[in-house]
Every structure is written in structure tokens, then in C-alpha cells.
């Protein structure tokens, strides 16, 4: 990781650094951090001579080597002060960042989605979620519909809130990017689909889209989870949020094994914000409130919660999992209060 003296390297300075790196078969990646640009050395960065030559350039402040399979996501990385900004919110800074909305947008009932969106804005959510394309375990269940995208775009237009939409393949990614979707969700089933993660990194390096990366349901270890996110960041987009959402095998009676307790382990290793999904963890609207508070207590920076104005009229997971906007309002208040006393890694 190379730290320039100024905010960023000029074109000539960058070319000089690249010439040195090329002598050692390495290349340089420019990453836009919070206060300045940082430059990652890609390739075998252990050459002491290369280090010395780059560190000796007059416009370089320092060069640091981090030996880790996720050197950009690592807490010791120069990106550690990076903050993900979404709409008016800075994720995890002053209050928990709350994403809310139905599991699945019903294309036959746009008004249900739009009314939910307005009610959730009123309740205090900072971003809207809604499934356009759905990864379903049962291949005969509703799979999603391109037309649902127009509905969530209309909700963004009307509420001014950023939107979170899951993409499962390159075709959906292209459509979502054309619509300037603010948060691209990668679901638990694609959590380790490295070519999709790389593709998202490449395509979003020059856009403003953030990524909400869910944890692989088959108990991805903290390192495996963080390394998956590294695939996105290594292509030039540091706006990644990690989302624990429960693992299998499920705890008897819950949908998954709730895993909000992985939060402090992740926080001790990475700077990326942790946005817990309590809805898929427990799978029952009754337990979402408690799971959300637990996540905040463990140090989560935010929550992604399924919510619907009339859950019984929803589709996908909504009849079972979604909480009402009224409950969401109560939950947000409780989580804001708990936020100041949450666990923090020193
Ligand atoms: C969802 O958010 O509706 C979803 C399908 O999530 P997951 O990938 O966690 O199952
Ligand atoms: Mn769902």
C-alpha cells in the first residue's frame, strides 16, 4: 500500500511508480479513500528493492506491506478510515444505518411497495430494499420480474432514499447499473461467486454504487467472508458493507443459525461496515426486534430488515418475516439508543 504525500499522485508521478512496479512484474491500483487516494501494489509485493525504490520517490509519504489474503480490507490497511456514504448517511458513524423494505416487490401491486416505501421513510429508514430478481431454493417459486425494477426506481424518485437490489448475474448487474441502483446486494447463494464479485468490482469502480455482500450461508469463516469482499475492493470499489444473515444448519425453530455474534470478530479484522440482516437469520417477524438489538450490541453499524405495510399481502418471505413500518419505527428508536453503548474494537 502506497501513501502519497499529497491527496493523490499526478499522472506523471503515477506513471513513475508504475514503471518501478513493472520492473518487478507488479501493477498499481488507484483506490479513492476517504481523505486521499491510496495505491495498492498488485502482484508479488514482497520485493524489498521495489519497496525501497518506491519509498524513495520524493512525492511518496510511505509504503507499507500487509501480509494478508485481504490486504485492502484489513484493519491495518490505509483504507481503515474509509467511510461508506449512502444518500445523506455515513454508514455506522453517528447512528445505525437502516435498510428496510419488502423481501420481494410484487409487480402486480406497485402501490403496496410504494406505500411501504413512504411509511418506512417516515419511520426513519435510510435506504429501501426490494427484491426484483429472487434467488429461490424452489425452482418453481416466483423468480422475480424485470418490471419490478421500475417500481423501486419510482420509490427512490418519490422518497429520495437510496435503493438496495440483489443481482445474481452479469445480465442483472448490467440492468441495475444502467438504473444507477445505489446498493448492489450479493446474496448468500452468490457470496463466494468470485467471478461475479470481480465483475461487480470492475463495473462499480467508476460508479457510485456500494455493495452489500451477504455472508455465505454455509458458515463462511470471518476470513473467507472478508476475502470474498476483497475481490470487489481489489477492482477499485471500497464501498462494501458486510452482511451476516444467519447460517445453516438452522437452530431448531429459527430459519437459520443467527450469527450477529460474528460482528466483533469481523470488526477486529476489517474496517468495512457490518450491516446485519436479522430477518433471514431468525425468519420470523416476532424475533426480528431482539435480533436487531443483539446485532447493535455486538457492534453492528447497521441493519437490513424486511418490512412490509401489510405482510400478509406480501410475497416471497414477507408473510412470515416482514415487520410493519410501525414496528420498524420502534426498532429504529431502540437501536439508536443502544448504538452509543455498542461493542467497539479499540
Ligand atoms: C433477501 O435479501 O431477500 C435474500 C434472498 O437474502 P439472502 O441472500 O440472505 O437469502
Ligand atoms: Mn427475503
Amino acid at each position: 500500500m502506497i501513501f502519497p504525500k499529497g491527496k493523490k499522485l499526478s499522472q506523471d508521478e503515477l506513471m513513475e511508480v508504475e514503471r518501478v512496479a513493472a520492473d518487478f512484474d507488479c501493477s498499481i491500483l488507484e483506490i479513492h479513500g476517504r481523505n486521499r487516494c491510496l495505491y495498492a501494489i498488485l502482484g508479488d509485493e514482497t520485493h524489498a528493492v521495489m519497496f525501497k525504490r518506491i519509498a524513495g520517490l520524493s512525492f511518496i509519504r510511505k509504503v507499507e506491506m500487509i501480509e494478508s489474503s485481504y490486504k485492502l480490507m484489513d484493519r491495518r490497511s490505509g483504507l481503515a478510515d474509509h467511510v461508506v456514504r449512502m444518500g445523506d448517511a455515513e454508514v455506522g458513524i453517528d447512528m445505525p444505518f437502516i435498510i428496510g423494505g419488502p423481501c420481494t416487490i410484487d409487480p402486480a401491486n406497485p402501490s403496496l411497495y410504494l406505500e411501504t416505501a413512504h411509511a418506512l421513510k417516515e419511520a426513519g429508514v435510510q435506504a429501501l430494499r426490494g427484491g426484483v430478481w429472487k434467488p429461490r431454493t424452489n425452482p418453481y417459486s416466483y423468480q422475480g420480474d424485470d418490471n419490478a425494477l421500475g417500481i423501486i426506481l419510482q420509490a427512490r424518485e418519490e422518497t429520495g432514499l437510496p435503493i438496495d437490489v440483489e443481482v445474481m448475474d452479469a445480465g442483472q448487474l448490467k440492468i441495475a447499473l444502467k438504473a444507477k441502483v445505489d446498493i448492489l446486494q450479493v446474496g448468500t447463494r452468490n457470496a463466494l461467486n468470485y467471478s461475479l464479485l470481480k465483475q461487480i468490482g470492475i463495473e462499480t469502480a467508476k460508479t457510485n454504487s456500494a455493495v452489500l455482500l451477504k455472508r455465505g450461508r454455509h458458515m463462511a469463516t470471518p476470513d473467507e467472508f472478508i476475502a470474498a469482499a476483497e475481490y470487489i475492493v481489489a477492482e477499485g470499489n471500497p464501498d462494501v458493507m458486510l452482511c451476516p444473515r444467519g447460517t445453516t444448519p438452522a437452530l431448531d425453530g429459527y430459519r437459520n443459525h443467527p450469527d450477529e455474534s460474528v460482528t466483533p470478530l469481523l470488526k477486529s479484522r476489517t474496517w468495512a461496515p457490518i450491516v446485519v440482516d436479522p430477518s433471514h437469520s431468525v425468519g420470523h417477524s416476532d424475533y426480528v426486534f431482539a435480533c436487531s438489538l443483539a446485532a447493535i450490541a455486538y457492534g453492528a453499524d447497521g441493519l437490513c430488515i424486511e418490512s412490509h405495510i401489510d405482510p400478509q399481502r406480501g410475497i416471497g418471505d414477507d408473510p412470515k418475516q416482514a415487520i410493519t413500518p410501525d414496528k420498524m419505527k420502534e426498532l429504529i428508536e431502540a437501536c439508536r439508543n443502544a448504538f452509543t453503548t455498542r461493542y467497539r474494537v479499540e
Side-chain angles (χ1 to χ4, degrees), residues 103 129 134-135 166 185-189 214 245 255 277 280 306 317:
C103 169
R129 60 154 289 148
K134 294 305 299 180
E166 174 170 357
Q185 181 173 312
V186 177
T188 193
R189 295 159 181 83
K214 297 238 182 156
R245 47 78 71 202
R255 176 171 175 174
D277 171 349
H280 292 85
E306 291 189 342
D317 296 327

Side-chain angles (χ1 to χ4, degrees), residues 80-111:
D81 63 355
H82 185 68
V83 174
V84 180
R85 287 197 175 81
M86 252 313 122
D88 295 335
E90 290 191 316
V91 177
I93 300 299
D94 297 324
M95 57 171 104
F97 177 67
I98 312 287
I99 305 172
C103 169
T104 305
I105 302 167
D106 180 355
N109 272 306
S111 60

Side-chain angles (χ1 to χ4, degrees), residues 10-76:
S10 69
Q11 205 52 34
D12 284 350
E13 291 166 346
L14 178 58
M15 274 163 57
E16 200 166 336
V17 175
E18 282 173 335
R19 268 196 300 275
V20 178
D23 285 346
F24 298 87
D25 290 330
C26 289
S27 59
I28 302 293
L29 171 74
E30 180 174 276
I31 302 167
H32 295 262
R34 183 181 199 192
N35 298 313
R36 59 184 178 284
C37 281
L38 297 162
Y39 301 82
I41 303 170
L42 305 182
D44 178 5
E45 52 162 323
T46 57
H47 301 285
V49 182
M50 172 174 71
F51 255 67
K52 284 195 182 130
R53 278 178 57 190
I54 296 176
L57 296 169
S58 59
F59 43 85
I60 298 298
R61 184 156 66 84
K62 63 173 176 174
V63 186
E64 268 180 7
M65 184 169 75
I66 297 172
E67 282 195 76
S68 158
S69 57
Y70 45 84
K71 59 188 176 189
L72 300 173
M73 293 289 288
D74 196 288
R75 269 181 76 76
R76 296 164 296 169

